[in-house]
Amino acid sequence: ADDSAAIQSALDSGVSLITIPYGTYRIGKTLRVASNTRLMVHPLARLYMADGAGVDSDSFLLANERDAVGITIDGGIWDGNNPGNPRGPEKPGSYTGTLINFFEAQNFRLRNMTLRDPEAFFVRLGHVSNFTIENITFEAPHLRPNQDGIHFGGYCEDGVIRHLRAYGPSVPNDDVIAINADDCVTRVLNLGMDRGPIRRIQVYDVQVERCHTLVRMCSVTAPIEDIRISTISGGVNAHA
């Protein structure tokens, strides 16, 4: 059965602490987390996108409510089920392939999570500030193009990313961390994102077996400022 309505009902209840016990949960509609919510998930609980759940550019496994503050997501195995959710065509409204999307959010934390099999980005960020992403494991039994680990769009600032691990050759199959201030926001991967500055991001303790790029920074006109990177290691693939 589709468990998304039951979990969303708990998220909408106004209770500040919500727990998800051990089990497997089929999610047919984006789970959206409001301000001042702490979601504690059993480390081995698996939440996966149902076949066909990626219907449009607003489809994700997990996302925040707009203008949210004070969110913590802790634990769980979050599975994009990319065999059952192919990326949409290059046109407005298509499914982007993003697993977890935080946009217009402040003071949030994503921690102790295993992220698996997105069709594109594991985590996508835009218009966010004062955040911590830590103790994250990336897995991709089904490799796809553009599988960035943490993908920044415009207007991101004051964040810490630490203790990232990726297991298996070519995981993630693109950049572990992509800091892209001037991305092509009309591409299906970036639908809903904006171009803009990225400032004051700290990255440390990243270990991967082999990826495309460990940390990538790209800008045309929007500034990328005060990015601090330390203690990263891993092999690199060469892509034609």
Side-chain angles (χ1 to χ4, degrees), residues 30-240:
T30 306
L31 298 177
R32 298 192 179 276
V33 186
S35 293
N36 302 313
T37 299
R38 186 179 182 190
L39 180 60
M40 302 293 293
V41 187
H42 188 283
L44 298 180
R46 175 174 172 257
L47 297 90
Y48 74 96
M49 289 186 74
D51 288 352
V55 295
D56 56 26
S57 59
D58 208 29
S59 297
F60 314 99
L61 182 54
L62 179 70
N64 64 288
E65 296 284 3
R66 292 291 175 89
D67 299 316
V69 297
I71 291 173
T72 295
I73 312 294
D74 192 322
I77 300 169
W78 301 81
D79 191 333
N81 180 27
N82 55 26
N85 290 283
R87 195 174 317 180
E90 289 288 344
K91 66 178 184 179
S94 289
Y95 174 52
T96 67
T98 294
L99 180 66
I100 295 176
N101 192 70
F102 269 61
F103 188 87
E104 294 182 356
Q106 300 178 45
N107 302 312
F108 65 89
R109 175 175 288 185
L110 308 178
R111 62 192 308 266
N112 302 325
M113 304 168 73
T114 297
L115 309 182
R116 178 182 294 168
D117 265 354
E119 179 64 15
F121 306 143
F122 288 81
V123 178
R124 194 179 73 167
L125 305 171
H127 291 265
V128 298
S129 62
N130 299 301
F131 58 90
T132 300
I133 299 174
E134 60 184 352
N135 301 322
I136 303 297
T137 299
F138 302 118
E139 298 179 352
H142 304 93
L143 295 173
R144 295 289 188 267
N146 311 113
Q147 278 179 325
D148 288 350
I150 310 294
H151 184 97
F152 287 90
Y155 300 100
C156 296
E157 60 186 22
D158 299 308
V160 175
I161 299 176
R162 59 193 176 199
H163 313 318
L164 305 186
R165 301 291 184 267
Y167 297 106
S170 300
V171 180
N173 203 29
D174 208 322
D175 312 316
V176 181
I177 299 171
I179 300 173
N180 291 4
D182 284 307
D183 236 336
C184 179
V185 295
T186 58
R187 289 187 68 198
V188 65
L189 302 167
N190 298 312
L191 293 176
M193 301 292 280
D194 294 315
R195 301 182 182 95
I198 302 174
R199 299 185 171 105
R200 299 180 299 279
I201 307 296
Q202 299 180 52
V203 176
Y204 60 91
D205 187 24
V206 177
Q207 297 180 26
V208 303
E209 182 177 342
R210 191 166 68 247
C211 62
H212 176 53
T213 304
L214 286 157
V215 179
R216 178 184 183 188
M217 290 179 281
C218 296
S219 174
V220 179
T221 57
I224 295 175
E225 300 174 340
D226 195 9
I227 310 298
R228 302 188 179 194
I229 302 167
S230 65
T231 320
I232 62 174
S233 63
V236 175
N237 290 323
H239 289 283

